[in-house]
Amino acid sequence: AYAADESEELAALKRPTNSVEIGVDGVSKKSAKFGEYTGLDKSGAKLIGNFDIRGGNAYDGGGGTTRWSINGRDLGLTSRSAGATISNQGQWTIGIGYDELRHNISDTYQTPLQGVVGGNIFTLPPTFGYVGAQPLAPATVTLDATKLGAFHTVDVGTTRKNTSFNAGYNFNPQLSVQFGYNRLKQSGAKLMGSGTLGTKDVAAGGGTWRAEAISILMNPTNYQTNNIDLALNWIGDKGHLTGSYYSSRFSNGYDRFTWENAYKSGAAVSAPCGFPPCTYQTTTMSTAPNNDFHQLNVSGGYAFSSSTKLAGGISYGRNTQNAAFLTGNLTTVPEIPAAFILPQVSLNGLVVTRHADLKLTHQATKDLALSAGFKLNERDNRSPANIYQYWALNGNGGTVALPAGIDVATNAPYSNKKTELELAGDYRLDKRQSLRLAYVHEKISRWCNGMVLPYSNCVVVPSNSEDRLGLSYRLRTADGVGFNASYTYAARKALFNHDAVTPLAGLNLNVVAVTLPTDVNAQDYPGFAAHIYDSRRQHLLKAAANWQATEKLDLSLTGRYVHDKYDAYLGVQNSRTTGLNLDATYSRAENASYSAYMSWQRSRRDLRSGLSVPANAAANAGPSYAALLASVALNPLSIWSNQLTDNGSAIGIRSKHTGLMNGKLELDGDLSYSFDTTGYATQLQYVSAQCSPTNMTACGALPDIKSRLLTLKLIGSYQLNKSDKLGLGLIHQKLTADDYFYNAYLYGSAPLRIMPTNQQSGSYSANVVAVSYIHTFR
Amino acid sequence: DEARAPAASVGAATAKATPAPAAAGKEAICTKCHDENEPTPLLSFYQTKHGVKGDPRTPTCQTCHGESEKHLKGDPNIKGRPATDVVYKKGAFAASDDKVRAGQCLTCHKGTNRTRWEGGQHDANGVACNDCHKVHQPADKVLSKKAQTEVCFTCHKEQRAQSHKISTHPIDAGKVVCSDCHNPHGSAGPKLLKKATVTETCFTCHAEKRGPFLWEHQPVTEDCANCHTPHGSNISPLLKSRAPFLCQECHDGPHNSKTPYGALSGGFQAVPPGSLAVPNENAAGRGCINCHSMVHGSNHPAGALLHR
């Protein structure tokens, strides 16, 4: 009755407008990159199917509290989604959802391997033959007609299907429970590299680096992740508390995938074959192991008064992984030495995570607000550490006490703990201006439990501490001007243990004889430090200005500058990033608005590294890192540098019109263009001979990696009558990508030890025209 | 189409209930003037959760805007009516202080996702709830997967530019949106992430990289952002740099990590004509990751070097 009394105009405001849309998309060209995420990767016609329907007595304006909705979007595409909800507001709610997506798509990948996308066994045709000898002379892979004939294009990609269910129930105004379940299922495959045995047989020992050969493979993504959230919330007058359980369980349909190696015969000698059929070595890649994560969380807050509040939380999680190890020699490539017995058949991995945070906020006076916070995050990896013997890909292993070609390493269960203390004060200078001063002290500790000697430690930087001090100023004027500016200085200190013999550096380590001092400092050049752990000073400057010039015109300008400077003599020396953004919005009338933006960003990173430690220096050094450092004295003849520059620009213009053509046409236009360039350049300052035009092995600039993306979207609707509309859409998108990445995989230019795939950079020019019929009702 | 939280927010607003009949009466005071002829469609408020009259918690206009006696009674000494007690958007009147605006919402919307609002980044930077949420509109853009980024990018312009790069999460497609990773209402994690750490947040979807693996890669266990930049990159997949250069920022010793690589990393096409140089698999294409493809960790007993 309430609804019946309403005018049409009032009903339009108070009751939801439902819609059902059906139509056709026409895609001009097949393009994997254009279709990634959008579902428009194939040319031709696609069904448009969208709907959004809502109802329930809560819309009637009376005492009803029930609302429901069902919706679907892009139903004809691989980017489809759908959902439904029903709720009795204030009492309970239930929702379900489904969402689909295709990604990691390639439609240019070619391979001689046979097997289905998403499968885990790949074989070569019996007549393919072997790729053959691997000379050192400049050459590319030469493939005869038989081999080339075996290459075929495969549509590789991963499909992700996300199904969700959520529900909530209010026991009373203070107590409620929430439940959420989400299943993420992936199928298909994702391309990955693999190093396999080259012409030399590792079991024979004495391989060289050049024994490795590269194939690009379809790594199956037969994954399922089930996430559960269950939370109980209590809310009182002064306090509130949430206790929750989170579970995430990952399972993989495959524990491995295998493929035949075209570089090596299964027989002792790679003799010509085809007739009789070729036999190949089969090689194995492990896949991501099943793992579980269970976490208990408690968070809450308490208001001591209207001006003093405390909030925080704690959590405890257990992440386990106990998938059975792949035992060596399942395939014809030796992986685990026959005489070596694995110390355990699975990792029995356990990582315990702990978190705690607490923040006290206090409005000390009308103008002064203070806060103090503390955070702790710990990843305590309690997985056992053991010694493992294995055959490296190239058979270039330790030679001290084990048969030639066998490597030894111990696994490092990395643990870390991060604590953070934050103190901040906000002071209002007057009604329009305020200042904020913030100080943060952060400390990170790193260790490994149960390490096996001689690995004295698993990390070169067992701890970092950082102090950050920031000052910001904020202004809001009555006439619509807003201005923010802030400066933050951060100083990070690294505590080094250069004498640490780290496990992954143990390429040539043998458990019975560590070679000191060259195995210290993670086997890195003396004076080198990884930038993510190195001592560093950082300057961060940010500013933003907004100006509402008139009732119709808004302008804004923001900028950011970051300068990082690292202490180590070798490693990343510094990096700088500058960014500027300009925005303007003009609302010409109630039914017409325009906006435009421009963004510009430039980054640069300078790296300095050492080529190698002179043999005599290493041999003459004492038994410590310090002795090595003194002995080498950072030989300038070995120093090289590299710069990374990254420039990005983006511009966009958007217009929105309603009420055109006597109120029947709505039209949104969106034009954007982005241009990104990334470049690398390397210099050998002191060894120019290696940079001669005929021997450019080590220096020079790489061709810029460029991508330019132009997008034009015109989306509109024409009102046919009171309840029906004609939907119209036009999308033009052009990507021009130049990337040297693909050179290595092209026929005719793939280096000797890389099996080509002929993948292309993904450039495209695609047009989409969409026409649909939209029916609306209440 | 709503950007759903893992669990529904049925208990979001609590207590402080105002009986519905009283609410209806109080509303009439405002809607007498602010009716369907208002330029801003205020009455579409009834399509929102705040407009469900049968819910005893439903607020009236004055619950949020204040009793506003001066506004109701008028002031003969000034032209037009004075402002309501709380003004959310600058128009004829200046907007109220952000703490006042946010405080009105937090009176009811306590706890759960908003536990850490006070002192959080948005609170500290003067952002109030209505700067992102539009409570009178039937579809609040920031709660819609298709439209949420439009709201967030109003301020986060660098991220907007990054979302147009060649390698991105499906942000533009509306499949992954800001609130999938961030909790804008305050968080215990860095950068307002929903989880306490970067890795924990990423593993929500990328659980295959969680391990623990037999052979771990140290930076992976600490922070995915050591190598990746989540909002967009010119280097796929969402990398800060490309191997071998990315790897050389941390390694300068084992294997060929100490070797300088120049133009040759670009393959034969990148070196001058007549060069005798030979690109090799260590530097070209995926660089180090051609062989060390298990960079996130390996569980193969022969995978110490992240090969298998």
Side-chain angles (χ1 to χ4, degrees):
Chain A
Y2 177 89
D5 293 341
E6 289 176 346
S7 69
E8 189 63 29
E9 200 176 358
L10 201 54
L13 287 170
K14 291 186 170 183
R15 299 182 64 79
T17 302
N18 302 312
S19 67
V20 176
E21 180 177 11
I22 189 155
V24 179
D25 268 327
V27 185
S28 65
K29 276 187 183 172
K30 173 186 176 185
S31 165
K33 187 64 190 167
F34 177 62
E36 189 176 42
Y37 306 145
T38 63
L40 298 169
D41 53 318
K42 308 284 186 203
S43 62
K46 317 272 181 197
L47 173 74
I48 295 176
N50 301 317
F51 66 91
D52 184 7
I53 301 169
R54 291 158 196 262
N57 60 17
Y59 290 113
D60 293 344
T65 52
T66 304
R67 279 181 174 174
W68 56 263
S69 73
I70 52 171
N71 64 73
R73 190 164 187 91
D74 296 332
L75 297 179
L77 305 176
T78 54
S79 56
R80 60 183 63 91
S81 61
T85 62
I86 183 164
S87 66
N88 181 358
Q89 190 168 306
Q91 292 297 310
W92 53 263
T93 182
I94 294 172
I96 54 170
Y98 176 79
D99 183 67
E100 200 173 305
L101 174 71
R102 287 262 298 161
H103 61 139
N104 302 319
I105 310 175
S106 170
D107 55 6
T108 57
Y109 168 74
Q110 297 190 338
T111 179
L113 289 166
Q114 297 173 330
V116 296
V117 178
N120 73 333
I121 298 171
F122 299 96
T123 58
L124 284 166
T127 55
F128 186 78
Y130 312 116
V131 172
Q134 298 171 30
L136 299 177
T140 57
V141 159
T142 304
L143 301 169
D144 59 30
T146 305
K147 290 185 178 67
L148 285 172
F151 279 82
H152 56 284
T153 304
V154 184
D155 274 346
V156 187
T158 298
T159 299
R160 187 204 74 172
K161 294 178 180 175
N162 191 358
T163 312
S164 62
F165 169 80
N166 59 67
Y169 184 77
N170 279 6
F171 298 102
N172 56 50
Q174 281 75 44
L175 196 64
S176 65
V177 64
Q178 295 169 335
F179 173 78
Y181 168 74
N182 154 257
R183 188 181 72 176
L184 200 63
K185 193 167 170 50
Q186 298 202 60
S187 58
K190 183 180 177 182
L191 295 178
M192 73 182 294
S194 70
T196 53
L197 191 63
T199 53
K200 294 199 176 187
D201 193 338
V202 292
T208 73
W209 301 119
R210 296 187 185 282
E212 295 159 3
I214 310 303
S215 297
I216 306 303
L217 306 170
M218 293 178 280
N219 178 23
T221 51
N222 191 357
Y223 302 159
Q224 185 166 308
T225 306
N226 291 290
N227 294 325
I228 288 175
D229 263 305
L230 179 65
L232 187 67
N233 307 303
W234 172 82
I235 298 178
D237 280 347
K238 289 195 161 188
H240 50 87
L241 196 67
T242 295
S244 67
Y245 165 71
Y246 170 69
S247 154
S248 173
R249 308 190 72 178
F250 169 78
S251 62
N252 193 338
Y254 298 123
D255 66 352
R256 76 196 72 178
F257 71 98
T258 63
W259 74 101
E260 290 183 332
N261 177 15
Y263 290 91
K264 186 75 178 73
S265 164
V269 179
S270 299
C273 66
F275 186 80
C278 306
T279 57
Y280 308 96
Q281 277 196 335
T282 304
T283 194
T284 308
M285 184 74 77
S286 68
T287 53
N290 298 352
N291 68 74
D292 292 346
F293 182 58
H294 302 275
Q295 189 179 51
L296 290 171
N297 304 281
V298 178
S299 65
Y302 186 78
F304 296 101
S305 68
S306 62
S307 60
T308 307
K309 294 171 185 173
L310 185 71
I314 53 170
S315 70
Y316 174 84
R318 288 173 73 87
N319 170 203
T320 54
Q321 189 273 105
N322 202 25
F325 286 151
L326 302 185
T327 51
N329 309 324
L330 284 175
T331 55
T332 53
V333 176
E335 294 162 346
I336 308 294
F340 177 67
I341 297 169
L342 288 172
Q344 47 194 103
V345 295
S346 60
L347 179 62
N348 198 17
L350 168 64
V351 170
V352 173
T353 60
R354 291 191 191 89
H355 165 82
D357 71 281
L358 197 64
K359 184 173 266 187
L360 180 70
T361 53
H362 176 59
Q363 190 75 38
T365 69
K366 182 170 162 283
D367 295 323
L368 179 64
L370 301 170
S371 68
F374 171 79
K375 281 185 204 175
L376 177 148
N377 283 293
E378 184 178 78
R379 178 190 199 264
D380 186 11
N381 191 342
R382 299 179 185 176
S383 307
N386 279 298
I387 296 167
Y388 290 81
Q389 293 181 16
Y390 65 98
W391 291 101
L393 291 183
N394 51 26
N396 192 20
T399 56
V400 177
L402 292 166
I406 294 178
D407 269 309
V408 176
T410 180
N411 62 308
Y414 290 108
S415 297
N416 62 73
K417 183 166 83 173
K418 184 173 172 180
T419 52
E420 189 180 297
L421 174 70
E422 183 190 12
L423 301 170
D426 290 86
Y427 183 69
R428 200 155 70 162
L429 299 169
D430 58 35
K431 201 176 170 187
R432 309 273 173 215
Q433 303 177 84
S434 62
L435 280 176
R436 176 179 173 82
L437 185 66
Y439 167 75
V440 176
H441 177 76
E442 183 181 289
K443 182 169 185 192
I444 304 174
S445 309
R446 304 178 183 90
W447 71 95
C448 293
N449 296 311
M451 287 301 291
V452 183
L453 288 173
Y455 305 98
S456 54
N457 201 330
C458 63
V459 288
V460 170
V461 182
S463 78
N464 282 110
S465 63
E466 180 163 340
D467 294 292
R468 288 197 295 273
L469 187 65
L471 179 67
S472 54
Y473 167 77
R474 189 149 53 96
L475 167 73
R476 294 278 181 277
T477 69
D479 53 357
V481 175
F483 176 73
N484 300 326
S486 70
Y487 169 74
T488 305
Y489 174 75
R492 183 174 71 192
K493 286 279 178 204
L495 174 68
F496 288 98
N497 176 9
H498 291 291
D499 285 322
V501 179
T502 61
L504 274 181
L507 183 66
N508 290 315
L509 288 186
N510 188 300
V511 68
V512 294
V514 172
T515 310
L516 289 172
T518 50
D519 289 327
V520 299
N521 198 36
Q523 284 194 329
D524 286 330
Y525 198 103
F528 182 89
H531 75 112
I532 54 176
Y533 310 119
D534 191 14
S535 296
R536 178 196 68 180
R537 278 154 289 152
Q538 184 181 72
H539 303 272
L540 167 62
L541 188 63
K542 289 199 278 191
N546 303 295
W547 179 37
Q548 190 167 352
T550 69
E551 268 189 24
K552 295 181 174 180
L553 180 65
D554 271 309
L555 298 169
S556 81
L557 177 67
T558 64
R560 183 170 172 268
Y561 173 76
V562 193
H563 180 200
D564 290 336
K565 188 159 184 354
Y566 298 87
D567 280 6
Y569 182 75
L570 297 179
V572 174
Q573 297 297 292
N574 60 68
S575 66
R576 294 181 186 84
T577 300
T578 311
L580 278 176
N581 305 282
L582 177 64
D583 277 56
T585 303
Y586 178 66
S587 304
R588 185 169 61 84
E590 225 176 275
N591 58 356
S593 66
Y594 310 91
S595 59
Y597 68 85
M598 186 282 293
S599 287
W600 174 84
Q601 189 171 314
R602 180 182 166 82
S603 303
R604 180 185 163 112
R605 180 276 285 141
D606 292 313
L607 171 71
R608 180 161 63 193
S609 271
L611 175 55
S612 62
V613 178
N616 60 339
N620 296 332
S624 70
Y625 171 79
L628 178 66
L629 189 63
S631 171
V632 173
L634 300 173
N635 184 352
L637 294 177
S638 297
I639 304 303
W640 55 272
S641 57
N642 173 271
Q643 298 82 43
L644 158 65
T645 53
D646 194 48
N647 297 319
S649 308
I651 56 171
I653 301 169
R654 189 168 186 185
S655 69
K656 281 186 169 190
H657 286 91
T658 56
L660 298 171
M661 298 179 73
N662 296 322
K664 292 187 171 180
L665 183 67
E666 288 184 11
L667 193 62
D668 284 3
D670 195 345
L671 176 68
S672 66
Y673 178 73
S674 66
F675 180 31
D676 295 284
T677 308
T678 306
Y680 294 97
T682 302
Q683 301 85 33
L684 279 154
Q685 292 94 327
Y686 307 106
V687 195
S688 56
Q690 289 192 34
C691 296
S692 67
T694 56
N695 188 25
M696 192 174 284
T697 56
C699 67
L702 278 152
D704 282 345
I705 303 162
K706 292 180 188 168
S707 51
R708 307 172 194 85
L709 182 67
L710 173 71
T711 306
L712 171 67
K713 287 183 191 172
L714 289 171
I715 309 291
S717 65
Y718 184 80
Q719 196 81 40
L720 299 169
N721 55 47
K722 196 174 149 189
S723 58
D724 299 305
K725 289 193 279 192
L726 189 65
L728 302 162
L730 171 69
I731 300 173
H732 168 73
Q733 194 166 72
K734 184 177 181 182
L735 172 71
T736 310
D738 301 311
D739 193 339
Y740 66 79
F741 174 89
Y742 298 95
N743 292 344
Y745 305 116
L746 295 176
Y747 295 134
S749 64
L752 273 173
R753 286 168 297 281
I754 294 183
M755 185 69 78
T757 63
N758 216 35
Q759 275 177 271
Q760 310 294 316
S761 66
S763 295
Y764 62 82
S765 176
N767 297 304
V768 180
V769 177
V771 182
S772 63
Y773 165 76
I774 305 164
H775 177 65
T776 60
F777 57 99
R778 291 195 185 91
Chain B
D1 191 18
E2 286 192 350
R4 294 179 184 86
S9 56
V10 66
T14 58
K16 302 286 181 188
T18 306
K26 282 201 158 188
E27 262 169 30
I29 299 169
C30 305
T31 55
K32 192 175 164 188
C33 297
H34 299 286
D35 58 11
E36 63 269 34
N37 299 315
E38 191 80 10
T40 306
L42 295 178
L43 298 185
S44 56
F45 171 82
Y46 290 104
Q47 291 185 44
T48 72
K49 288 187 174 179
H50 285 154
V52 177
K53 293 182 178 178
D55 183 348
R57 304 170 305 170
T58 292
T60 68
C61 309
Q62 288 163 300
T63 311
C64 304
H65 290 276
E67 289 298 320
S68 307
E69 281 185 27
K70 285 183 183 170
H71 178 76
L72 291 172
K73 290 178 182 168
D75 184 344
N77 299 319
I78 61 167
K79 190 182 170 188
R81 284 178 182 269
T84 53
D85 292 350
V86 183
V87 179
Y88 287 89
K89 188 180 171 187
K90 183 185 175 298
F93 309 110
S96 301
D97 185 79
D98 55 273
K99 296 271 191 278
V100 173
R101 288 181 282 139
Q104 290 295 93
C105 306
L106 292 166
T107 307
C108 298
H109 295 275
K110 289 194 279 194
T112 61
N113 287 343
R114 291 158 296 275
T115 292
R116 298 175 177 91
W117 170 262
E118 269 91 10
Q121 284 96 318
H122 279 143
D123 178 39
N125 283 289
V127 177
C129 313
N130 76 297
D131 291 324
C132 304
H133 291 284
K134 303 298 169 210
V135 297
H136 290 112
Q137 293 176 6
D140 188 359
K141 275 187 180 179
V142 80
L143 297 180
S144 156
K145 276 213 159 192
K146 280 283 174 194
Q148 186 186 86
T149 52
E150 205 181 306
V151 178
C152 303
F153 289 164
T154 309
C155 297
H156 299 280
K157 299 167 201 291
E158 272 185 30
Q159 285 73 15
R160 175 184 61 195
Q162 287 165 350
S163 74
H164 289 131
K165 290 180 187 276
I166 195 167
S167 176
T168 64
H169 274 115
I171 297 169
D172 205 33
K175 295 287 186 182
V176 169
V177 295
C178 314
S179 64
D180 286 327
C181 303
H182 299 279
N183 177 1
H185 304 111
S187 121
K191 309 276 183 190
L192 289 178
L193 287 175
K194 285 169 95 168
K195 302 283 185 180
T197 63
V198 174
T199 50
E200 214 178 292
T201 307
C202 300
F203 294 155
T204 308
C205 296
H206 302 282
E208 75 277 9
K209 296 176 176 70
R210 182 166 51 207
F213 297 96
L214 169 62
W215 306 105
E216 295 193 318
H217 191 187
Q218 188 188 344
V220 177
T221 63
E222 292 189 22
D223 189 344
C224 307
N226 280 329
C227 299
H228 293 281
T229 175
H231 301 109
S233 168
N234 201 30
I235 312 287
S236 294
L238 286 169
L239 286 169
K240 285 180 163 176
S241 181
R242 170 174 291 165
F245 309 107
L246 173 67
C247 309
Q248 290 180 316
E249 291 178 7
C250 292
H251 298 284
D252 178 33
H255 192 10
N256 282 321
S257 64
K258 57 187 173 293
T259 308
Y261 292 111
L264 211 57
S265 299
F268 283 103
Q269 293 89 335
V271 294
S275 171
L276 300 174
V278 190
N280 70 41
E281 67 277 5
N282 296 324
R286 287 167 172 76
C288 316
I289 304 167
N290 275 324
C291 291
H292 301 276
S293 46
M294 306 299 279
V295 285
H296 297 106
S298 168
N299 207 51
H300 194 302
L305 299 176
L306 306 179
H307 282 146
R308 297 180 169 111

